[in-house]
Amino acid sequence: MAFVDWEESFSGGNGAIDTQHRRLIDLLNNLYETAAAGKDHAAQLDALQELVDYLEIHLRFESSILDVDSSIVDMGKDVLADFAAGTGILSTEEVDGLKDWVVGHIQDVAR
């Protein structure tokens, strides 16, 4: 079972945005798996970097057609920079906080 499963209620009717939202969930699931498995800092950093990079691309696209809050990108970059500067590993609780934002964002856009 995935950390976050796609639900039909997440679909907003725009195929391009729905596809990108599905990708965000895939990346979030990947990050969670690295945390749950206790993978090393480098593996978690790669997964976090991929999520933040894609989030930036996605929100840039989405904000070109919708009014969305893209402040999460700056927050994500800050989290990424802090994590990259350290040597620790992410906990599943920290990833759960990201999940709340990603799923909340998807639900807001789907309305």
Side-chain angles (χ1 to χ4, degrees), residues 47-84:
L48 182 59
Q49 177 78 59
E50 189 175 14
L51 176 61
V52 170
D53 287 350
Y54 192 78
L55 189 58
E56 183 173 17
I57 291 165
H58 165 68
L59 289 173
R60 191 176 314 122
F61 172 78
E62 204 171 65
S63 65
S64 73
I65 56 176
L66 299 171
D67 182 26
V68 295
D69 178 12
S70 60
S71 63
I72 189 68
V73 172
D74 291 332
M75 186 176 79
K77 287 180 179 179
D78 290 344
V79 168
L80 182 62
D82 289 345
F83 187 70

Side-chain angles (χ1 to χ4, degrees), residues 3-109:
F3 176 55
V4 179
D5 289 310
W6 178 262
E7 299 176 14
E8 283 308 310
S9 65
F10 294 166
S11 181
N14 180 310
I17 290 176
D18 288 346
T19 297
Q20 289 182 7
H21 285 166
R22 285 177 185 265
R23 179 69 179 141
L24 284 172
I25 287 176
D26 289 344
L27 293 169
L28 184 63
N29 283 332
N30 182 56
L31 179 61
Y32 182 84
E33 288 170 15
T34 66
K39 293 200 176 172
D40 66 16
H41 180 83
Q44 289 187 356
L45 181 59
D46 287 347
L48 182 59
Q49 177 78 59
E50 189 175 14
L51 176 61
V52 170
D53 287 350
Y54 192 78
L55 189 58
E56 183 173 17
I57 291 165
H58 165 68
L59 289 173
R60 191 176 314 122
F61 172 78
E62 204 171 65
S63 65
S64 73
I65 56 176
L66 299 171
D67 182 26
V68 295
D69 178 12
S70 60
S71 63
I72 189 68
V73 172
D74 291 332
M75 186 176 79
K77 287 180 179 179
D78 290 344
V79 168
L80 182 62
D82 289 345
F83 187 70
T87 57
I89 59 171
L90 290 170
S91 69
T92 54
E93 291 80 17
E94 290 169 310
V95 180
D96 196 47
L98 289 171
K99 176 193 83 167
D100 292 343
W101 188 91
V102 170
V103 170
H105 164 77
I106 291 169
Q107 290 172 327
D108 285 347
V109 171

